[in-house]
């Protein structure tokens, strides 16, 4: 359990994926891009940091299911669910266990979003050493898709006039720009 904001705590594994400043920055930029957004989707939400940081910036009382999170890893979904319960924001968040590459996952959401966020893995499958911890490996390396898959899913899920906020490593900028262009952002 790590202290976060508003007295909230985030549950994370000591040797697993640990949230970082990139998550908080992405949430801040999403709020700046679409002030007053009523519905937000965080894709590849991991332990829920971006969604919670975005939610923390919204007026109280929170609207039901104003933040939707989609995450593929069992361990991350379990930690996020525990965090949501502990922070007493379960009603404001619709946490989904699913793979964003699978169109049925995004179709099952039955709505479009004013803002979509993503912090995709920064490294390709073959770049650097793969962490022995599976949760950390999937968060850091493109083992379950990368920036193209995140951009493609975001394009399907944005409401007209919505904004996609993605944060990524600077050396991968050409990949990010190519994916954004391919997906017509």
């Amino acid at each position: 359990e790590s202290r976060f904001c508003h007295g909230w705590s985030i549950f994370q594994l000591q040797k697993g994926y640990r949230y970082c400043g990139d998550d908080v920055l992405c949430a801040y930029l999403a709020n700046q891009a679409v002030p007053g957004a009523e519905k937000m989707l965080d894709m590849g939400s991991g332990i829920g940091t971006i969604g919670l940081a975005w939610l923390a910036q919204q007026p109280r009382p929170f609207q039901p299911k104003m933040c939707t999170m989609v995450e593929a890893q069992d361990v991350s979904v379990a930690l996020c669910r525990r965090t949501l319960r502990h922070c007493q924001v379960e009603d404001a968040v619709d946490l989904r266990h699913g793979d964003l590459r699978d169109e049925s996952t995004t179709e099952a959401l039955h709505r479009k979003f004013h803002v979509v966020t993503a912090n995709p893995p920064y490294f390709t499958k073959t770049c650097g050493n793969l962490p022995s911890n599976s949760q950390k490996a999937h968060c850091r390396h493109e083992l379950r898709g990368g920036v193209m898959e995140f951009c493609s899913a975001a394009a399907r899920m944005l409401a007209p006039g919505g904004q996609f906020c993605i944060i990524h490593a600077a050396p991968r900028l050409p990949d990010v720009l190519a994916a954004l262009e391919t997906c017509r952002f």
Side-chain angles (χ1 to χ4, degrees):
E1 175 184 357
S2 297
R3 298 301 268 167
F4 189 55
C5 60
H6 293 283
W8 295 349
S9 297
I10 290 187
F11 290 92
Q12 52 189 353
L13 299 176
Q14 191 168 19
K15 294 188 178 184
Y17 173 77
R18 311 281 293 178
Y19 79 86
C20 65
D22 290 354
D23 296 340
V24 177
L25 178 60
C26 187
Y28 171 78
L29 293 173
N31 193 56
Q32 295 299 303
V34 190
E38 295 176 14
K39 299 287 180 190
M40 180 266 215
L41 170 63
D42 182 29
M43 299 183 310
S45 62
I47 57 176
T49 316
I50 293 175
L52 282 173
W54 179 85
L55 193 63
Q57 300 174 76
Q58 305 310 306
R60 297 339 183 246
F62 297 134
Q63 297 301 309
K65 297 185 179 186
M66 64 187 304
C67 175
T68 299
M69 301 179 190
V70 175
E71 172 55 40
Q73 292 192 77
D74 295 336
V75 65
S76 294
V77 169
L79 288 165
C80 186
R81 197 170 306 285
R82 185 175 172 198
T83 293
L84 299 175
R85 193 171 32 254
H86 180 76
C87 297
Q88 300 177 353
V89 294
E90 289 173 293
D91 292 342
V93 178
D94 181 13
L95 175 60
R96 302 289 183 105
H97 186 194
D99 190 328
L100 62 90
R101 295 173 303 165
D102 183 352
E103 287 189 27
S104 67
T105 296
T106 52
E107 288 171 4
L109 299 176
H110 301 295
R111 63 182 170 276
K112 301 287 184 175
F113 298 86
H114 302 111
V115 64
V116 175
T117 60
N119 182 1
Y122 290 171
F123 304 111
T124 63
K125 292 178 189 178
T126 58
C127 180
N129 296 322
L130 199 62
S132 59
N133 178 285
S134 178
Q135 181 201 28
K136 189 183 290 187
H138 280 84
C139 290
R140 291 187 178 172
H141 293 263
E142 295 177 338
L143 303 177
R144 202 180 257 126
V147 68
M148 182 62 74
E149 289 78 13
F150 277 81
C151 289
S152 177
R156 291 192 308 270
M157 298 313 300
L158 276 175
Q163 295 290 314
F164 178 39
C165 297
I166 183 171
I167 194 158
H168 214 288
R172 298 288 308 277
L173 182 61
D175 297 327
V176 172
L177 293 175
L180 291 170
E181 184 177 345
T182 298
C183 296
R184 299 192 172 137
F185 280 101

